[in-house]
Amino acid sequence: MEFAIYSRKSKQTGKGESIQNQIEYCRKYIASRFGENHKIHIFAEEGYSAKNRCRPQFQSMLTIAEQKKLDYIVCYRLDRISRNVGDFALLIEQLAKWETAFICVQEQFDTSTPTGRAMMYMASVFAQLERETIGERVKDNMFYLAKKGYWLGGTFPLGFTSIRVSENGHSYCHLVQQEKEIKIVQKIYFLFLEYYNLSAVKRKLEEEKIYSRQGNAFSLMALKEILTNPVYCKADQKAREYFYKKGAEVTFSAKQCSNNYGLMVYNKRNYSKKAAPRQKIEHWIVALGKQKGILSGEVWVSIQNYFERSKKKQKTENNYALLSGILYCGSCGEKMQPKKRKNHTFDYICKSKLQGKNCVMQNLAGKETDSQTESYLLDYIESLVKQQNKKIGHCSFGELWKGMEIKQKQEAIRFLIKKGVWNGTELQYFL
């Protein structure tokens, strides 16, 4: 017979059974029940959660099972495979179609029998219940810490460090200001309120030799992170109203608003996903912090509103740049982004340069680049049409092109790039 042993461990810790121990338990079980001399595939991975179905080794095992090469999949514990009832039920149905049985060593479940299948589903229900209960406990604990304004750890925001305090037999951390860095933060906000431009703020800081905690020039992303971090905002009425309207969980009342203390935000990032992306504001828990606030809610909120308006504007700014989203930097491979100038022109600038990274690519004059591209494209298409002796209605391609909106033109260019070479039929179909 042919077996697959699957073992998994979320993190490299000393807790729980190691991957090697899980494999050894499964090997012994196979030998005791089915005898020796069987083909055994080993699939092991570390650092993946059971909630993630896209585990590489897990998917490789399912590929072999789908080819009906496995008689049994064996794991040490049920939660090594899945903690979600829906995912697990789907998996068992798939394995049944592929004529592969599932064995869980510790719980003594075997889906090759009706009783084993019933017991397996029951166990998966309890596994999911355990996960959801743990999630609720974490959330309750977060609310408790939020009401106290505690710092949960991690990299300190620029301008702060932490002190440890004892309370009711437990020790917690509070943020406290670091005057030297706070002056840098204040400078960043002052410059942004003057220029409302991240690149201008970055240039001014470099001119004045003001650098990050690590001694490096601030990147545009780091500057925006500082300007959007609520930790610097005073927990006043304006700030409370802003987060309340955004749907965040605000833990302090209107009477508790303060012009002295800053905000503390919890559940800001989703740590179950890679790179821990920032969550939408409605998932945040906003509390009254213990650290001093440095910016009024009115000013801080106005900056957030500016970024929100800019973000909406960016979605439509491609209406003036023909090659937006199409043109890439020949030096580093990043996109060349259009950026408007005060004289009603625009440039294509490498995204890496905008983020403060080292890229030697020169900026491209936007209108000239678009004009040259259009000219080349029209000549190219007209030559293809003439070669194949095709007609496009009563108009030339150039006349049709002039009547297109910029989005249609962008779509045409992407189509050309994707196809490589057009023929007359494809051209007529597209138009």
Side-chain angles (χ1 to χ4, degrees):
M1 288 191 289
E2 199 159 346
F3 293 83
I5 294 176
Y6 180 78
S7 61
R8 179 191 64 80
K9 197 171 175 69
S10 296
K11 296 179 180 178
Q12 293 182 343
T13 65
K15 299 179 181 180
E17 292 294 343
S18 69
I19 283 179
Q20 289 304 318
N21 284 348
Q22 293 176 41
I23 294 172
E24 191 59 31
Y25 283 129
C26 293
R27 282 188 182 277
K28 288 180 180 179
Y29 181 89
I30 293 170
S32 64
R33 180 173 170 186
F34 299 99
E36 303 285 350
N37 301 321
H38 297 291
K39 187 173 182 179
I40 300 177
H41 304 269
I42 304 296
F43 298 92
E45 47 203 348
E46 196 151 15
Y48 287 90
S49 167
K51 294 182 288 184
N52 181 7
R53 278 184 59 89
C54 297
R55 292 163 264 159
Q57 289 289 297
F58 181 69
Q59 292 299 325
S60 298
M61 179 180 68
L62 293 185
T63 299
I64 296 177
E66 187 176 9
Q67 297 168 356
K68 297 186 177 181
K69 293 182 179 180
L70 296 177
D71 295 295
Y72 286 91
I73 289 177
V74 184
C75 74
Y76 173 64
R77 277 177 51 185
L78 178 61
D79 60 6
R80 300 302 87 194
I81 291 288
S82 176
R83 288 178 178 264
N84 183 283
V85 176
D87 289 345
F88 183 73
L90 180 62
L91 173 64
I92 295 303
E93 287 180 12
Q94 287 178 328
L95 294 179
K97 291 178 183 177
W98 301 335
E99 300 174 2
T100 301
F102 181 81
I103 293 175
C104 185
V105 174
Q106 192 177 62
E107 287 91 350
Q108 293 290 300
F109 294 149
D110 183 349
T111 62
S112 62
T113 66
T115 303
R117 284 193 293 273
M119 293 295 291
M120 189 77 77
Y121 284 124
M122 289 176 64
S124 66
V125 170
F126 285 110
Q128 182 172 351
L129 177 62
E130 178 189 9
R131 179 167 63 89
E132 291 177 354
T133 302
I134 291 172
E136 286 299 318
R137 286 199 206 107
V138 170
K139 191 174 181 180
D140 290 343
N141 187 51
M142 197 175 291
F143 269 106
Y144 171 76
L145 294 172
K147 289 178 180 178
K148 298 289 185 179
Y150 295 133
W151 170 250
L152 298 186
T155 304
F156 305 127
L158 184 69
F160 294 99
T161 184
S162 73
I163 57 170
R164 186 167 291 277
V165 296
S166 296
E167 188 176 303
N168 298 326
H170 298 279
S171 63
Y172 304 98
C173 289
H174 291 161
L175 287 180
V176 291
Q177 283 192 6
Q178 224 179 23
E179 291 304 320
K180 185 178 179 181
E181 289 186 355
I182 279 293
K183 288 180 180 178
I184 296 176
V185 173
Q186 291 172 329
K187 181 73 174 180
I188 290 170
Y189 274 98
F190 173 79
L191 288 172
F192 188 78
L193 290 170
E194 182 178 356
Y195 296 102
Y196 277 92
N197 183 288
L198 290 173
S199 297
V201 174
K202 176 179 168 61
R203 285 195 300 272
K204 286 293 181 181
L205 290 173
E206 290 175 5
E207 287 173 8
E208 297 184 31
K209 294 182 170 38
I210 297 174
Y211 301 113
S212 70
R213 184 179 289 159
Q214 291 76 28
N216 302 319
F218 285 97
S219 68
L220 297 180
M221 192 177 298
L223 291 173
K224 188 175 181 181
E225 184 68 28
I226 292 169
L227 291 165
T228 57
N229 195 334
V231 76
Y232 304 114
C233 178
K234 293 180 179 180
D236 58 20
Q237 190 64 43
K238 285 287 185 181
R240 186 181 182 278
E241 287 176 3
Y242 172 80
F243 285 106
Y244 186 80
K245 289 179 181 178
K246 290 288 184 180
E249 190 76 39
V250 181
T251 63
F252 58 99
S253 66
K255 290 182 179 180
Q256 292 174 307
C257 288
S258 170
N259 287 319
N260 296 320
Y261 296 104
L263 295 171
M264 186 66 72
V265 175
Y266 303 82
N267 204 37
K268 191 163 66 172
R269 295 188 176 276
N270 187 350
Y271 290 99
S272 66
K273 293 184 178 180
K274 190 175 181 180
R278 179 178 283 202
Q279 303 203 89
K280 292 182 179 179
I281 292 182
E282 56 258 37
H283 297 292
W284 293 9
I285 301 172
V286 182
L288 182 67
K290 300 292 185 183
Q291 80 284 2
K292 289 182 180 179
I294 67 168
L295 207 69
S296 72
E298 184 175 5
V299 175
W300 188 87
V301 168
S302 71
I303 292 174
Q304 310 318 302
N305 290 335
Y306 171 82
F307 281 123
E308 288 171 18
R309 289 194 301 270
S310 298
K311 190 174 182 180
K312 290 178 182 178
K313 187 178 177 182
Q314 285 172 5
K315 292 180 180 179
T316 59
E317 69 179 3
N318 293 348
N319 289 336
Y320 66 82
L322 177 67
L323 301 178
S324 179
I326 300 172
L327 190 63
Y328 287 81
C329 175
S331 176
C332 68
E334 282 282 5
K335 284 185 177 181
M336 299 287 286
Q337 292 187 341
K339 186 174 180 60
K340 284 186 175 180
R341 298 301 185 190
K342 291 182 179 179
N343 56 358
H344 303 293
T345 63
F346 70 95
D347 291 339
Y348 287 109
I349 306 176
C350 175
K351 185 178 178 181
S352 290
K353 287 178 70 175
L354 288 172
Q355 293 177 344
K357 298 177 183 177
N358 293 324
C359 180
V360 297
M361 178 57 68
Q362 292 183 344
N363 299 346
L364 297 176
K367 289 185 177 180
E368 289 82 348
T369 303
D370 283 359
S371 178
Q372 290 178 18
T373 302
E374 284 190 281
S375 177
Y376 171 80
L377 180 62
L378 292 175
D379 290 343
Y380 179 73
I381 297 301
E382 291 285 12
S383 66
L384 285 179
V385 173
K386 288 178 181 178
Q387 286 174 15
Q388 299 185 36
N389 197 26
K390 299 286 183 180
K391 293 183 178 180
I392 310 174
H394 299 290
C395 303
S396 68
F397 180 76
E399 290 173 321
L400 287 172
W401 180 265
K402 288 178 183 178
M404 286 183 180
E405 294 181 358
I406 191 165
K407 288 186 178 179
Q408 292 175 305
K409 292 180 179 180
Q410 290 170 342
E411 211 173 320
I413 294 173
R414 289 190 180 94
F415 188 84
L416 177 63
I417 294 169
K418 184 178 179 181
K419 288 294 183 181
V421 178
W422 292 21
N423 59 46
T425 305
E426 288 169 339
L427 180 60
Q428 288 177 320
Y429 171 78
F430 179 80
L431 294 171

